[in-house]
Amino acid sequence: MAPYVDSLLPGTGLTFQAWIKPEELHRSQVLAMLGDNGWALMLTCNEGSGAGCCGNHLTHSPGTLMFWNVEQIPQADASDVCRDAPTSTRRVVKDKWQHVAVVADEETDTVRFFIDGEPAGVRENARGGRDRLVNDGRS
C-alpha cells in the first residue's frame, strides 16, 4: 500500500478505473481505497453470501460495484452504511477480464458506474447527508 500523500487527494470529484479479473464474487473485495478509511471502490455481495457482505440481493448482488464514501463510522453502523452506499446496477462476472470505472462528482452529488465502457448505474444524491462525497479518509 502506498503512503498517504495530500497531493493525491481528489478535489471536487474523481474518476477511478481498472482492469479486474475476479476469482470469486462471494466476499467483499476492495479494488482501491484512499488511506484506511477514505473513499473506496469495492466489489460487494449481499448479506449472508460471504465475508464482509451487506445489503440485500437487489442492491448488493455478488459482483456489484460499490462506492464507499463514509469515513470514521462506528462499527455498529457499518451494515447500514454499506447497505446505503451507491452501487452499480450491473455486475462483473467471475474469471473474465473486465474494465470497471467509477466517476464521483462532488458538484452534482452523483456517482456513475461503468463496466466494459457501458453505463452500469447512476446514483444521484449520493452524499446521503454527509459533508463530502469524496472523503479524504482523515476527518
Side-chain angles (χ1 to χ4, degrees):
M1 175 170 31
Y4 190 92
V5 179
D6 283 341
S7 64
L8 296 177
L9 295 176
T12 59
L14 77 93
T15 299
F16 177 83
Q17 58 185 332
W19 283 96
I20 63 169
K21 184 181 179 185
E23 295 178 357
E24 66 175 301
L25 298 175
H26 291 284
R27 65 180 177 90
S28 180
Q29 301 174 65
V30 175
L31 302 176
M33 184 174 212
L34 178 62
D36 291 330
N37 206 18
W39 67 266
L41 180 61
M42 304 171 70
L43 287 181
T44 189
C45 46
N46 54 294
E47 197 165 20
S49 65
C53 299
C54 65
N56 61 48
H57 68 282
L58 298 175
T59 60
H60 291 73
S61 295
T64 303
L65 296 169
M66 177 173 68
F67 183 71
W68 182 262
N69 60 342
V70 178
E71 50 193 308
Q72 307 267 336
I73 57 165
Q75 191 59 33
D77 298 333
S79 63
D80 289 341
V81 171
C82 183
R83 179 196 66 219
D84 297 337
T87 56
S88 64
T89 55
R90 293 182 36 225
R91 300 180 288 168
V92 297
V93 296
K94 182 177 165 182
D95 295 326
K96 177 185 174 200
W97 281 105
Q98 295 139 100
H99 184 264
V100 297
V102 62
V103 178
D105 188 326
E106 192 81 49
E107 293 177 2
T108 61
D109 194 15
T110 57
V111 174
R112 298 180 186 281
F113 297 95
F114 299 87
I115 299 174
D116 288 332
E118 298 294 323
V122 176
R123 177 72 165 287
E124 296 176 344
N125 301 312
R127 204 175 284 121
R130 290 176 289 283
D131 293 337
R132 297 237 8 193
L133 176 60
V134 182
N135 64 56
D136 64 10
R138 293 187 302 167
S139 53

